[in-house]
Amino acid sequence: MSEVIVDGVALIGRHIKHIRRVPQKLLSVTVMPVTMVLAFGYILGSAMDVPGVEYREYFMAGVFAQVMVAGMTTTGVGVCEDLNNGLVDRFRSLPMSRSAVLIGRTVSDLLLSAIACVVMSVVGFAIGWRIHGGFWSALAGFGLVLLLGFVAIWGGALLGLVLRNAEAVGSLGFVIVMPFMFLSSAFIPLDGLPGWLRAVAQWNPLTAVTDQCRRLWGNSTTAHGDGFAAAHPGLVSLVALAVLFVVIVPATVRSFGKATAR
Amino acid sequence: MEYAIETHDLSKSYERHKALDGLGLAVPPGTVLGLLGPNGSGKTTTVRLLTTLLRPDSGSCRIVGLDVVKQAKEVRRNIGLAGQYAAVDERLTGLENLRLIGTLYHLGRREAHRRTDDLLERFGLTDVADRQAKTYSGGMRRRLDLAASLLADPPVVFLDEPTTGLDLINRIAMWELVREQTARGTTVLLTTQYLEEADQLADRIVVLKNGRTIADGTPDELKVGVGGQRLEVTLADPARAQDAARALREWGVGTATVGEGGRRVTVPVDGGIDAVATAVTALKGEGAHIVDFSLRKPSLDDVFLSLTGHGTPARDSQPDAEAEHAA
Ligand SMILES: Nc1ncnc2c1ncn2[C@@H]1O[C@H](COP(=O)(O)OP(=O)(O)O)[C@@H](O)[C@H]1O
Ligand SMILES: [Mg+2]
């Protein structure tokens, strides 16, 4: 057990050096989120007129979720790089803890996601986004967002190990994520959707996460409680993320045990 | 006798393609085994099986008596690996790269630092130790990679094509480092596409082709079949090549083969300068217009020619094409 910690800490150190030395890494957690916040806040925000919804408050949870899920690609691409330049082979030939390699990568990528959250919060605040709940519920909202980010990061690691190719990770990641993003309440309330599509969208974990965050942050939400999922977004999001986590992590560890570059 | 590396009937397939077929090795401690073969012959697969990265389909392998499948973690404590592509973290400095590996070998902080400094010194990397590895030349990268594989001072070291892509100066420097390590008693398995490299470094050579062993012996035993130097003559007119080949044979130089668009005639010459003089005389008598005339060491192609009657299968990459220049 202590081996996992020692090795994990050493590898987190490695990734933190990367963050400091590779400017693109910081760009991906600053420029992209800032652009998203501004684009949704100003461009979509002024075009969007949903009765009973203050859009400038509504969309922020969606942007948080979108940026967390985008972390998947960053992780996947990083895993492919390690695989293809032989570092994974080297690590796997050492008498070290194997899960430490994955823990080092995912924990330090979570740090990047957390930086993105801070940046987005600041920009959101500047354009009028406010949290109306108490301190602890605000924190719980960020915790939920980061939990989503962590699951996405592990998903990215799995994609990287299975596909072994950065471009493939980028495009397959996009194909997986897009339906989840669009069939959710991340950016638009679900009221306008036809009945059956709405039912699907309400059970989408991203809907649950964003709706729960809006509740915790006291932002406009249109979840009127038709159906179990809409009434209990907190429970649905936690269960969905837990299930994904329990499926993805062992699969990732197993793929790592077999992974070799071609 | 306990072998440092021992395999029996080792096989591995990818999907339905048999990459390694019944490999048997027995490498005594402190010796160097050269695994010689062209691209795709199964060298990397062998290294990956022996370093616990792949599981064999059948057969067994032991490293210092430890079973590679059942005692994988124990095996990893006893091996060092320098893979086919220099596995260095480009964004870390040379020093950081080695210290990280030292930590992951659980050497303890002081020991990891001491060995890092020691290896940087031995490998001539002290001056660049604080530069990110992405600024290193190919030769420096390879040396750093080799240093990483030796950091824990393992009894058995695997080097997968340690000099492919290096120019002559860097190649010779690598050979010197490998020799130093074997002088310390380390057992080395190295793979290569160069007969000369195996000849320089190895105590025994195993020649692989399509995953099968086609020859096994000391470098001298292997070279008896291959012969000495090769004389290569390029003619202006391909139509004259067969005549030139016949003339060489008649003058007793050796059996010549015609290759490269029918313009190049290659003949093994053992008799040194006299044989060359004889060849020149023979060709002069033919009146063939000679464009180029050169003497070279036997290549892997020549080994294959002598062992199987034809050259290496599918030479899809020319290792020399990517050779880099000394920094
Ligand atoms: N991961 C893989 N999947 C499928 N085929 C592979 C894989 N790795 C190697 N091969 C095939 O196995 C054979 C042996 O490859 P390899 O051991 O890499 O040879 P070498 O190192 O001698 O060039 C080749 O035909 C190669 O194409
Ligand atoms: Mg290879």
Side-chain angles (χ1 to χ4, degrees), chain A residues 115-184:
Chain A
I115 294 173
C117 283
V118 172
V119 170
M120 286 184 288
S121 302
V122 171
V123 179
F125 186 83
I127 65 164
W129 173 63
R130 293 290 180 274
I131 293 178
H132 305 288
F135 174 76
W136 292 110
S137 72
L139 207 62
F142 285 109
L144 184 59
V145 159
L146 284 174
L147 202 62
L148 171 68
F150 201 47
V151 170
I153 285 167
W154 276 92
L158 179 60
L159 275 187
L161 289 170
V162 171
L163 299 175
R164 312 177 196 178
N165 171 305
E167 275 98 74
V169 168
S171 40
L172 191 64
F174 187 77
V175 169
I176 295 173
V177 165
M178 268 304 133
F180 278 96
M181 275 329 288
F182 282 123
L183 259 185
S184 80

Side-chain angles (χ1 to χ4, degrees), chain B residues 37-45 47-48 84-85 160-161 191 193:
Chain B
N39 257 329
S41 56
K43 303 184 297 297
T44 299
T45 302
V47 169
R48 286 191 168 148
Q84 186 165 356
Y85 306 99
D160 196 1
E161 299 197 24
T191 78
Q193 303 198 27

